[in-house]
């Protein structure tokens, strides 16, 4: 339960969920062939934290270079899952990284803040 | 095999230039082909000499257009799909054309007409609405992709329908 990792590919993001070291990160390009299956595995793993006696404050970093519209739907689902964990004492502080000229990526992060009613720290990266 | 003379090749080349085509592909658009085409699009950026922000927009639109075809097109059709990038007066446009069943045409036209009436705020609002509504759906829904194309292009989505037979249309979109 403590560590879940996926190497990034040209089509799927790198994923690191590490409870012990408090590292949670999804980064890179996201346009999986089967978006539902790819993200449902991540959502199920995160939901499982509820049953693993995990508690505390964690950071969750999103740093996408690109994500397609289908992925954006499942990221929203994942963020809602993170919010749902709060009631069990698992608190995520979410960082949304975007390349400074990429206004669309910035706006997507802001939309998640509004839609999921959750605080997301917007962090611009110079390119 | 019918002979393909140099004059035909010359005319084809001249047409491609006249129609402002920067890149043109004709053939099946499968998942594997989408990956190759997107790599070519990335490679083209240095040739296009465009800034980072425009590169991202073009790449985004190309992904959504191509995934629409690979996810919703009819595989094994006798008529090839097309994918193109063109540039008129310094403005890029991206288009795809593919065979679809006529029963899909109406819903696609209705989605496109709705999207084309909306300004940027309207598009953002319907994107959020669609994303929330589709949370329970596991398919690669066409609606969200089309809204995304209109948002990234900051423009209307043009479309043309060419009936092929009683059951199928060739559907072309560009933005």
């Amino acid at each position: 339960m403590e560590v879940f990792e996926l190497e990034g590919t040209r089509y799927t993001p790198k994923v690191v969920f590490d409870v012990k070291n408090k590292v949670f990160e999804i980064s890179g390009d996201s346009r999986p062939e089967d978006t539902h299956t790819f993200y449902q595995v991540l959502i199920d793993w995160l939901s499982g934290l509820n049953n693993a006696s995990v508690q505390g404050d964690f950071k969750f970093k999103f740093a996408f270079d690109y994500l397609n519209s289908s992925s954006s739907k499942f990221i929203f689902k994942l963020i809602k899952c993170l919010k749902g964990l709060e009631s069990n004492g698992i608190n995520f502080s979410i960082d949304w990284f975007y390349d400074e000229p990429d206004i669309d990526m910035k706006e997507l992060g802001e939309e998640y803040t509004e839609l999921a009613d959750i605080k997301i720290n917007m962090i611009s990266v110079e390119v | 095999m019918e002979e393909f003379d140099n004059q035909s090749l010359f005319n084809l080349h001249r047409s491609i230039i006249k129609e402002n085509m920067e890149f043109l592909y004709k053939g099946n658009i499968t998942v594997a082909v989408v990956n190759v085409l997107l790599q070519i699009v990335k490679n083209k950026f240095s040739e296009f000499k465009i800034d980072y922000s425009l590169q991202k927009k073009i790449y985004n639109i190309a992904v959504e257009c191509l995934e629409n075809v690979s996810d919703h097109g009819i595989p094994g059709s006798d008529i090839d799909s097309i994918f193109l990038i063109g540039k008129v007066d310094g403005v890029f446009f991206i288009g795809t054309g593919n065979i679809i069943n006529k029963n899909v045409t109406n819903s696609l036209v209705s989605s496109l007409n709705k999207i084309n009436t909306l300004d940027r705020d309207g598009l953002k609002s319907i994107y959020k609405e669609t994303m929330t509504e589709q949370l329970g759906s596991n398919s690669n829904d066409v609606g969200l992709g089309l809204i995304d194309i209109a948002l990234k292009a900051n423009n209307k989505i043009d479309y043309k329908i060419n009936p092929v037979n009683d059951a199928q249309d060739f559907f072309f979109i560009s933005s």
Side-chain angles (χ1 to χ4, degrees):
Chain A
M1 188 71 219
E2 282 204 338
V3 183
F4 177 93
E5 278 182 302
L6 290 176
E7 283 293 321
T9 70
R10 276 159 65 191
Y11 326 113
T12 55
K14 174 186 170 188
V15 179
V16 180
F17 297 161
D18 184 341
V19 177
K20 192 179 165 194
N21 293 305
K22 297 198 167 192
V23 177
F24 289 82
E25 179 181 337
I26 305 180
S27 58
D29 277 11
S30 180
R31 51 177 196 87
E33 192 175 330
D34 183 347
T35 319
H36 169 246
T37 302
F38 183 86
Y39 279 105
Q40 198 56 51
V41 170
L42 307 190
I43 291 165
D44 288 347
W45 194 94
L46 290 167
S47 302
L49 290 175
N50 264 338
N51 307 318
S53 307
V54 174
Q55 282 203 327
D57 296 331
F58 302 90
K59 261 195 181 294
F60 202 112
K61 175 181 175 180
F62 292 101
F64 289 107
D65 290 325
Y66 169 76
L67 80 162
N68 64 1
S69 61
S70 183
S71 298
S72 72
K73 183 174 73 173
F74 288 98
I75 293 298
F76 176 45
K77 205 171 177 179
L78 193 146
I79 289 172
K80 280 178 72 101
C81 166
L82 295 181
K83 194 182 176 193
L85 292 168
E86 279 175 10
S87 55
N88 281 38
I90 306 165
N91 300 307
F92 282 99
S93 160
I94 302 175
D95 291 339
W96 184 266
F97 287 76
Y98 63 94
D99 291 340
E100 192 266 329
D102 193 353
I103 301 302
D104 293 317
M105 189 63 80
K106 181 187 180 208
E107 287 183 351
L108 184 61
E110 289 168 350
E111 276 158 21
Y112 288 138
T113 303
E114 183 192 325
L115 279 174
D117 192 21
I118 193 168
K119 185 178 182 314
I120 298 178
N121 308 305
M122 306 300 297
I123 300 170
S124 109
V125 179
E126 270 189 54
V127 287
Chain B
M1 185 178 161
E2 209 172 305
E3 219 172 287
F4 190 80
D5 63 36
N6 280 342
Q7 185 60 40
S8 302
L9 194 59
F10 177 77
N11 291 343
L12 176 64
H13 184 241
R14 200 166 53 176
S15 297
I16 289 171
I17 292 168
K18 189 173 160 236
E19 297 296 331
N20 304 297
M21 293 297 128
E22 296 285 337
F23 177 72
L24 180 63
Y25 168 83
K26 170 185 168 293
N28 279 335
I29 296 183
T30 59
V31 171
V33 172
V34 168
N35 293 336
V36 173
L37 290 174
L38 288 173
Q39 191 56 48
I40 294 172
V41 170
K42 275 189 175 174
N43 294 346
K44 282 265 170 194
F45 287 147
S46 57
E47 188 185 310
F48 291 164
K49 297 187 175 65
I50 51 177
D51 67 26
Y52 180 85
S53 178
L54 186 55
Q55 286 181 20
K56 282 235 162 182
K57 280 188 185 295
I58 290 175
Y59 184 76
N60 269 270
I61 294 167
V63 171
E64 296 299 335
C65 284
L66 287 166
E67 287 185 346
N68 266 343
V69 179
S70 71
D71 291 344
H72 303 284
I74 300 169
S77 170
D78 289 341
I79 299 176
D80 281 336
S81 302
I82 59 165
F83 168 68
L84 59 89
I85 300 178
K87 187 166 78 171
V88 175
D89 298 331
V91 178
F92 283 90
F93 61 93
I94 296 166
T96 47
N98 62 295
I99 294 286
I100 58 171
N101 284 325
K102 275 193 194 295
N103 59 358
V104 179
T105 305
N106 282 347
S107 63
L108 199 50
V109 167
S110 149
S111 297
L112 286 165
N113 287 344
K114 185 176 179 189
I115 287 167
N116 283 341
T117 60
L118 300 170
D119 61 11
R120 188 164 176 78
D121 284 345
L123 286 168
K124 284 172 80 169
S125 164
I126 199 176
Y127 187 93
K128 285 186 271 190
E129 222 172 84
T130 310
M131 186 159 67
T132 317
E133 279 170 7
Q134 290 182 350
L135 259 198
S137 157
N138 299 332
S139 66
N140 294 337
D141 310 87
V142 68
L144 207 57
L146 290 176
I147 302 163
D148 202 34
I149 291 169
L151 266 171
K152 300 288 183 338
N154 213 8
N155 207 346
K156 307 291 177 206
I157 301 176
D158 191 23
Y159 66 86
K160 299 269 184 299
I161 305 158
N162 189 21
V164 173
N165 54 40
D166 288 345
Q168 296 177 327
D169 293 321
F170 190 82
F171 204 97
F172 182 81
I173 66 167
S174 67
S175 196

